[in-house]
């Protein structure tokens, strides 16, 4: 019997932002550009290919600092990529996030007609993301990248969003964020859950076998191989409304924290209900070796500890018995908060724009990002809960309910308003470094 040898990841050609976790804490900036002159756009690609950091560089010259570059379908077209080549990309990517709004639940106040300009429009062509451990090194990274787009009259910066993480790794609702990440074969980077085996590289990087044995890659291979798809979303958080809902529906401060944990699936420290069901455990929440080492099917199939409808069990059902195969829907997820924190104890939103910049990385926009959004976040059929949506991030117009399994009687929360509103987003292609040079060498 022969053993099939897996293809080695070409880490020196994969952009570092695909596989590397961001430093903690960190500061980041998203810069969007419009390309009006194809020749200048191609020159931009040549220049950024020398600035973007590869996954083979665990420490860049600036420490835990790097720059990533991605393009929308409109952006590839603006560079002069031929239509037959564009046709080899995923059809969700070609439609764009705004075109997929209904499937994603981005309707009503989250609909593209209400998005922050220019997000979701044909004007967004290139996305540059700079990440660094602090604001000073972030500015250094931006300054280092600036020559790539300065003095190109046919390339215009049209949008900027700064974001950050706190040393506590918490987002505006107060929960530790970014706790669960999958392991990727060949990456050399450990996943967050030692109980689950690494996923095939082709789940996240184009041009390699995925969990089903297929290989996804736009053509020609010089363009598609070692790239990834990226979904970027600006999500506004109604922090005061969230705090007030917990306060109004709890019978004590302790019960308020328990409700918050049941809705999320973790205590705010990051400690999971699966490992600490009755009280928070900050030491557990701060321990990356322990806080994610759990499954559901053996110890909690009915969701009496971690409710089936809570946020983390929806986003990643692990080994739970649900419709579908969870391993086919895993995502690399990055998040950073933007806007000022709402002061502690304040129960009314103050009108400031605050929220989360969410980034998905994967090789399958459809069966990873869109599936999780439409089938797990915005529906409950997969675990037998009908049309129930995610209590924190679900898309719903009007108040909804949330059920907490409990013996002898379940606890039913009602009147949950919408706590998260989509302010905009883009589907992008994150090319390999050789592909950036290929794009730079395109001819009219």
């Amino acid at each position: 019997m022969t053993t099939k040898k897996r293809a080695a990841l070409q880490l020196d050609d994969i952009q570092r932002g695909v596989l590397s976790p961001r430093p903690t804490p960190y500061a980041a900036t998203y810069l969007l550009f419009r390309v009006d002159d194809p020749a200048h756009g191609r020159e931009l690609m040549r220049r950024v290919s020398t600035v973007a950091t590869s996954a083979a560089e665990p420490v860049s010259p600036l420490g835990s600092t790097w720059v990533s570059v991605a393009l929308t379908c409109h952006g590839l077209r603006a560079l002069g990529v031929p239509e037959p080549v564009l046709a080899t990309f995923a059809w969700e990517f070609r439609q764009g996030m705004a075109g997929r709004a209904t499937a994603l639940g981005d309707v009503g106040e989250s609909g593209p007609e209400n998005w922050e300009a220019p997000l979701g429009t044909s004007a967004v062509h290139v996305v540059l993301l700079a990440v660094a451990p602090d604001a000073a090194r972030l500015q250094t990274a931006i300054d280092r990248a600036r020559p790539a787009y300065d003095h190109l009259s046919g390339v215009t910066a049209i949008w900027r969003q700064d974001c950050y993480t706190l040393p506590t790794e918490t987002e505006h609702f107060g929960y530790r964020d970014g706790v669960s990440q999958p392991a990727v074969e060949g990456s050399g980077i450990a996943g967050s859950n030692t109980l689950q085996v690494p996923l095939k590289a082709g789940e996240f990087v184009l041009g390699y076998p995925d969990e089903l044995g297929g290989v996804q890659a736009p053509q020609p291979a010089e363009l598609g191989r070692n790239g990834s798809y990226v979904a970027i979303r600006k999500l506004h958080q109604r922090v005061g409304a969230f705090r007030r809902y917990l306060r109004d529906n709890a019978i004590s401060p302790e019960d308020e924290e328990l409700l918050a944990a049941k809705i999320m699936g973790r205590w705010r420290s990051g400690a999971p209900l699966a490992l600490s069901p009755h009280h928070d455990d900050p030491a557990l929440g701060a321990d990356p070796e322990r806080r994610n080492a759990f499954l559901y099917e053996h110890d909690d199939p009915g969701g009496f500890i971690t409710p089936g409808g809570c946020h983390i069990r929806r986003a990643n059902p692990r080994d739970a018995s649900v419709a579908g195969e969870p391993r086919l829907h895993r995502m690399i997820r990055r998040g950073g908060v933007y806007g000022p924190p709402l002061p502690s104890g304040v129960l009314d939103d103050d009108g400031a724009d605050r929220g989360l910049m969410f980034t998905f990385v994967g090789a399958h926009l459809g069966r990873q990002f869109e599936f999780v959004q439409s089938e797990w976040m915005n529906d409950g059929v997969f675990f037998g809960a009908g049309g129930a949506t995610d209590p924190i991030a679900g898309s719903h117009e009007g108040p909804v309910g949330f059920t907490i399994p409990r013996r002898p009687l379940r606890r039913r929360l009602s009147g949950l308003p919408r706590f998260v509103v989509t302010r905009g987003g883009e589907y992008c292609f994150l090319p390999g470094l050789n592909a950036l040079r290929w794009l730079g060498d395109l001819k009219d």
Side-chain angles (χ1 to χ4, degrees), residues 245 249 259 385 388 399-406 409-416:
Y245 184 86
N249 286 272
L259 285 183
V400 298
F402 176 66
T403 299
I404 301 173
R406 190 176 62 175
L409 297 174
R410 67 181 184 176
R411 184 174 184 178
R412 179 70 176 170
L413 301 178
S414 61
L416 276 86

Side-chain angles (χ1 to χ4, degrees), residues 77-396:
R77 187 174 286 116
L79 296 184
V81 175
E83 290 298 324
V85 173
L86 293 179
T88 67
F89 282 79
W91 65 275
E92 299 92 347
F93 168 75
R94 301 198 306 271
Q95 282 194 302
M97 187 176 289
R100 302 292 299 153
T102 300
L104 295 172
D106 289 333
V107 296
E109 60 182 332
S110 284
E113 67 275 12
N114 297 315
W115 286 5
E116 181 179 323
L119 298 173
T121 72
S122 60
V124 179
H125 295 158
V126 179
V127 179
L128 186 149
L129 170 63
V131 176
D134 53 54
R137 278 179 279 187
L138 175 65
Q139 189 58 52
T140 300
I142 295 172
D143 291 342
R144 182 168 173 260
R146 183 169 285 112
Y149 57 85
D150 263 359
H151 310 300
L152 291 174
S153 60
V155 176
T156 304
I158 57 175
W159 188 82
R160 174 173 177 161
Q161 180 64 64
D162 297 327
C163 58
Y164 59 95
T165 57
L166 299 169
T168 54
E169 301 178 64
T170 57
E171 45 70 61
H172 284 301
F173 289 147
Y175 298 96
R176 186 184 296 272
D177 195 28
V179 171
S180 179
Q181 298 290 351
V184 183
E185 273 190 2
S187 69
I189 299 171
S192 57
N193 189 345
T194 57
L195 302 179
Q196 294 185 302
V197 299
L199 290 156
K200 299 295 183 185
E203 289 296 307
F204 307 102
V205 185
L206 298 165
Y208 299 88
D210 60 23
E211 287 289 309
L212 296 175
V215 177
Q216 309 297 317
Q219 298 298 313
E222 293 87 347
L223 174 61
R225 186 172 176 83
N226 294 319
S228 295
Y229 290 114
V230 175
I232 299 169
R233 287 166 76 77
K234 182 174 181 178
L235 304 173
H236 174 73
Q237 293 176 271
R238 291 171 171 159
V239 180
F242 182 69
R243 292 176 181 174
R244 183 171 293 281
Y245 184 86
L246 293 175
R247 181 70 54 84
D248 290 348
N249 286 272
I251 59 175
S252 67
E254 294 75 19
D255 188 52
E256 186 175 331
E257 288 306 304
L258 178 61
L259 285 183
K262 289 292 186 179
I263 287 172
M264 175 59 71
R266 292 183 185 272
W267 301 92
R268 298 201 212 228
S269 72
L273 285 169
L275 300 178
S276 185
H278 303 299
H279 55 80
D280 198 358
D281 184 344
L284 172 61
D287 187 346
E289 301 296 323
R290 296 191 296 138
R291 66 190 181 198
N292 207 41
F294 62 91
L295 300 172
Y296 295 123
E297 188 60 25
H298 181 268
D299 297 322
D300 189 27
F304 285 95
I305 299 172
T306 308
C310 74
H311 181 72
I312 71 163
R313 192 156 173 166
R314 284 175 175 271
N316 178 15
R318 300 178 189 241
D319 66 334
S321 296
V322 297
E325 171 48 64
R327 283 181 65 81
L328 299 180
H329 310 298
R330 292 303 311 277
M331 302 187 295
I332 292 176
R333 176 194 177 281
R334 315 287 187 213
V337 299
Y338 71 87
L342 187 67
S344 178
V346 174
L347 302 181
D348 294 303
D349 287 297
D350 56 7
D353 187 19
R354 61 175 59 87
L356 185 79
M357 284 298 296
F358 168 94
T359 301
F360 150 87
V361 181
H364 302 270
L365 281 169
R367 74 163 165 84
Q368 291 172 321
F369 176 69
E370 290 201 354
F371 182 93
V372 171
Q373 282 292 119
S374 62
E375 303 301 321
W376 288 355
M377 292 287 128
N378 293 329
D379 205 347
V381 171
F382 77 101
F383 72 101
T389 62
D390 185 284
I392 288 182
S395 172
H396 49 262

